[in-house]
């Protein structure tokens, strides 16, 4: 795939590639800028699927009958859930927003809804609205609230069957997208009416109909308009693995930084919309009791840096346990990330991708005339930068001077030793 080289000027442009007919409102443009400033968010995949400890796709992967699966709700009682503790941990880690799964593909709603009893308040012995608690904690602590919402549903009979959930015993003669569309919009109205400011609706599941013989009409334009009408500042995102559609305000890349496609889900072109990479902390999104393959804190920091250097945010996932506690492995990594960001956050927050595009040695971030050079892998004691208007360079950590040698087409930065560690940061002042 041709890699888009983002310049600072291009990064500041919020025009919509491939989204004709949609002009973001002033509220949305302001929200887009604020979103880009935040740089780091926490994704939360939590639902009744956590009880089985096999990830959020367990209903589909284990072919659990659609009439049997809901019995999980009868025993769901997250007695150790504490929204204030969660949000405090996220804030201490340096996260500026959370994205909470209000309803995943299994169709169970993790919030109070009048559309059915299949929700955490009316359908479990816990009988409490966890989203209300999270919204209150986020608003109190200044953390932006984003809400994940699944377009597909393995539970409702009126959802038109796609390419997943085909072995769950559901009848095939009950499908009615008009009714299902009304159901979704009623729930979205509840989410955008009952929980205070919501800064993004994050859709997923479009790809369930990407193999249909005839293109499936999700009626996204109507749904996006509803969201923007209910909360004019609310951003719309859709994890469809396609180029952005009209009405979308963010472009998502799943398990890859923009411009790469190692996971096979991000082959789309990089637009000029605000960008976000979502990635797991271990290998799975929902709680998996056997998945201990956690990325190290250093790996996550380097991922955050690499994402910021590509002008994107990092949305880092945690799968809470069924009792409502966050896995200790996640908490340990959050603490380490927070420590790093307290020392180096100036080079990440409120920056954009720098004028030097990503290289094998690392990336750059930029704020005005300050260019932060993040060296992640340099096998030498010098680094050529194709930038000629350099005024001075210092090590970010202690402000010690870095030798700058002018040469054709740019400058060479020289170091006393080969840079090592998680991220060696050079602060370059441009003329």
């Amino acid at each position: 795939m041709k890699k888009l080289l983002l310049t600072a000027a291009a990064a500041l442009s919020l025009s919509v590639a491939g989204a004709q007919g949609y002009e973001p409102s002033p509220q949305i443009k302001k929200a887009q800028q604020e979103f880009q400033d935040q740089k780091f968010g926490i994704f939360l995949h939590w639902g009744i699927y956590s009880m089985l400890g096999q990830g959020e796709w367990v209903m589909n992967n284990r072919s659990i009958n659609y009439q049997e699966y809901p019995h999980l709700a009868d025993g769901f009682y997250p007695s150790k859930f504490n929204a204030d503790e969660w949000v405090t941990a996220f804030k201490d880690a340096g996260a500026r927003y959370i994205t909470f799964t209000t309803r995943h593909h299994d169709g169970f709603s993790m919030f109070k809804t009048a559309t059915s009893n299949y929700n955490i308040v009316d359908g479990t012995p816990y009988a409490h609205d966890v989203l209300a608690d999270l919204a209150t904690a986020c608003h109190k602590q200044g953390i932006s609230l984003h809400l994940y919402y699944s377009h597909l549903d393995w539970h409702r009979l009126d959802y038109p069957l796609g390419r997943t959930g085909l072995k769950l015993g559901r009848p095939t003669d009950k499908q009615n997208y008009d009714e299902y569309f009304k159901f979704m919009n009623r729930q979205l109205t509840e989410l955008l009416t009952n929980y205070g400011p919501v800064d993004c609706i994050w859709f997923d599941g479009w790809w369930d109909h990407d193999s249909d013989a005839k293109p499936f009409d999700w009626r996204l334009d109507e749904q996006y308009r509803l969201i923007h009408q209910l909360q004019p500042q609310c951003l719309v995102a859709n994890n469809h693995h396609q180029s952005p559609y009209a009405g979308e305000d963010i472009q998502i890349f799943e398990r890859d930084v923009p411009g790469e496609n190692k996971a096979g889900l991000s082959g789309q072109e990089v637009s000029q919309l605000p960008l976000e990479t979502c990635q797991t902390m271990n290998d799975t999104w929902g709680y998996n009791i056997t998945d201990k393959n956690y990325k190290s804190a250093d790996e996550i920091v380097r991922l955050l840096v690499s994402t910021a250097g590509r002008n994107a945010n990092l949305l880092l996932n945690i799968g809470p346990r069924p009792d409502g506690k966050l896995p200790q492995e996640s908490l340990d990594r959050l603490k380490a990330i927070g420590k790093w960001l307290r020392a180096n956050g100036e080079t990440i927050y409120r920056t954009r991708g720098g004028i030097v595009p990503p290289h094998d040695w690392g990336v750059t971030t930029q704020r005005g005339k300050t260019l932060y050079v993040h060296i992640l892998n340099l096998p030498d004691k010098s680094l050529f930068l194709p930038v000629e208007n350099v005024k001075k360079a210092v090590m970010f950590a202690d402000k010690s001077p870095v030798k700058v040698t002018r040469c054709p087409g740019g400058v060479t930065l020289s170091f006393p030793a080969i840079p090592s560690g998680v991220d060696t940061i050079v602060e370059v002042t441009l003329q």
Side-chain angles (χ1 to χ4, degrees):
M1 167 181 174
K2 183 180 179 181
K3 188 177 294 185
L4 181 66
L5 301 182
L6 293 173
T7 66
L12 291 173
S13 172
L14 295 177
S15 61
V16 181
Q20 298 87 351
Y22 172 62
E23 174 61 31
S25 68
Q27 296 99 316
I28 289 297
K29 290 180 179 179
K30 181 175 183 290
Q32 287 174 316
Q33 294 281 1
E34 291 173 349
F35 173 79
Q36 288 184 299
D37 288 345
Q38 291 170 333
K39 283 296 179 287
F40 180 37
I42 297 295
F43 212 172
L44 293 158
H45 275 72
W46 194 38
I48 57 175
Y49 46 78
S50 65
M51 297 178 67
L52 298 180
Q54 297 178 50
E56 76 292 348
W57 272 64
V58 62
M59 183 183 183
N60 177 84
N61 294 347
R62 296 294 299 273
S63 300
I64 302 175
N65 185 275
Y66 81 102
Q67 292 176 308
E68 288 296 325
Y69 183 86
H71 292 311
L72 288 172
D74 297 336
F76 189 56
Y77 196 92
S79 60
K80 296 182 179 180
F81 168 71
N82 186 306
D84 288 319
E85 289 182 0
W86 279 23
V87 175
T88 296
F90 304 150
K91 186 173 183 177
D92 288 348
R96 299 295 172 87
Y97 63 98
I98 70 168
T99 303
F100 180 71
T101 47
T102 62
R103 174 175 158 273
H104 208 267
H105 310 328
D106 63 355
F108 183 79
S109 298
M110 291 290 286
F111 64 100
K112 169 68 174 176
T113 175
T115 58
S116 80
N117 290 332
Y118 196 45
N119 68 79
I120 192 169
V121 177
D122 301 311
T124 76
Y126 190 61
H128 189 74
D129 193 337
V130 296
L131 178 56
D133 287 354
L134 274 174
T136 298
C138 284
H139 298 149
K140 181 173 65 177
Q141 299 197 43
I143 297 295
S144 181
L145 178 64
H146 298 193
L147 301 180
Y148 170 109
Y149 190 84
S150 174
H151 265 137
L152 76 89
D153 193 308
W154 296 324
H155 172 74
R156 288 184 63 94
L157 302 186
D158 54 5
Y159 171 72
L161 295 176
R163 61 177 171 86
T164 67
L166 299 179
K167 298 179 180 180
L168 308 181
R170 289 181 298 169
T172 59
D173 59 349
K174 306 291 185 181
Q175 303 171 55
N176 185 330
Y177 189 65
D178 284 341
E179 290 303 313
Y180 181 71
F181 187 68
K182 292 176 184 176
F183 154 76
M184 288 195 295
N185 289 344
R186 286 197 298 269
Q187 286 208 322
L188 288 167
T189 299
E190 291 174 327
L191 291 170
L192 293 168
T193 302
N194 299 334
Y195 299 95
V198 173
D199 293 323
C200 181
I201 294 293
W202 205 100
F203 287 112
D204 193 18
W206 177 97
W207 34 261
D208 197 41
H209 282 277
D210 62 6
S211 301
D212 290 10
K214 180 182 178 181
F216 186 81
D217 183 9
W218 289 96
R219 294 162 63 180
L220 295 179
D221 55 345
E222 297 177 53
Q223 206 162 59
Y224 293 172
R225 281 199 300 271
L226 172 67
I227 293 167
H228 288 140
Q229 288 167 2
L230 289 169
Q231 292 206 26
Q233 88 297 339
C234 185
L235 303 170
V236 171
N238 198 326
N239 188 36
H240 45 46
H241 311 145
Q242 307 292 311
S243 295
Y245 293 124
E248 294 171 8
D249 307 304
I250 295 171
Q251 185 178 11
I252 301 167
F253 297 85
E254 183 175 346
R255 292 187 182 271
D256 270 303
V257 295
E260 293 186 357
N261 191 24
K262 297 176 182 178
L265 300 172
S266 300
Q268 68 270 32
E269 290 290 332
V270 181
S271 76
Q272 292 179 347
L273 286 173
L275 310 175
E276 181 182 72
T277 287
C278 59
Q279 181 59 276
T280 54
M281 195 175 283
N282 48 0
D283 287 335
T284 47
W285 299 99
Y287 178 67
N288 189 320
I289 199 168
T290 61
D291 182 4
K292 297 296 183 180
N293 190 30
Y294 280 82
K295 300 169 183 64
S296 69
D298 286 355
E299 286 180 280
I300 296 171
V301 166
R302 290 162 73 90
L303 174 61
L304 174 60
V305 170
S306 296
T307 305
R310 289 167 173 82
N311 205 47
N313 290 15
L314 174 63
L315 181 61
L316 181 66
N317 182 73
I318 297 173
R321 296 185 336 210
D323 63 2
K325 296 291 286 186
L326 302 175
Q328 188 59 48
E329 295 93 338
S330 298
L331 290 171
D332 292 342
R333 283 153 181 78
L334 289 180
K335 289 180 181 178
I337 297 166
K339 181 179 179 181
W340 188 89
L341 279 169
R342 281 188 289 277
N344 302 286
E346 179 184 334
T347 72
I348 301 295
Y349 300 123
R350 296 184 296 107
T351 66
R352 299 294 184 264
I355 57 174
V356 179
H359 283 74
D360 290 341
W361 52 259
V363 298
T364 63
T365 57
Q366 188 169 347
R367 186 187 306 105
K369 292 186 177 181
T370 301
L371 182 71
Y372 299 104
V373 180
H374 298 266
I375 301 173
L376 304 175
N377 179 34
L378 184 66
D380 204 344
K381 292 192 291 185
S382 63
L383 174 65
F384 172 75
L385 290 181
V387 182
E388 295 181 326
N389 60 328
V390 172
K391 184 177 181 180
K392 68 174 182 176
V394 299
M395 300 302 295
F396 177 77
D398 59 11
K399 306 305 179 186
S400 59
V402 173
K403 182 180 179 181
V404 178
T405 304
R406 312 281 172 182
C407 51
V411 299
T412 297
L413 306 180
S414 300
F415 310 101
I418 295 176
S420 61
V422 178
D423 178 20
T424 301
I425 307 173
V426 180
E427 180 180 324
V428 176
T429 302
L430 305 176
Q431 294 177 348

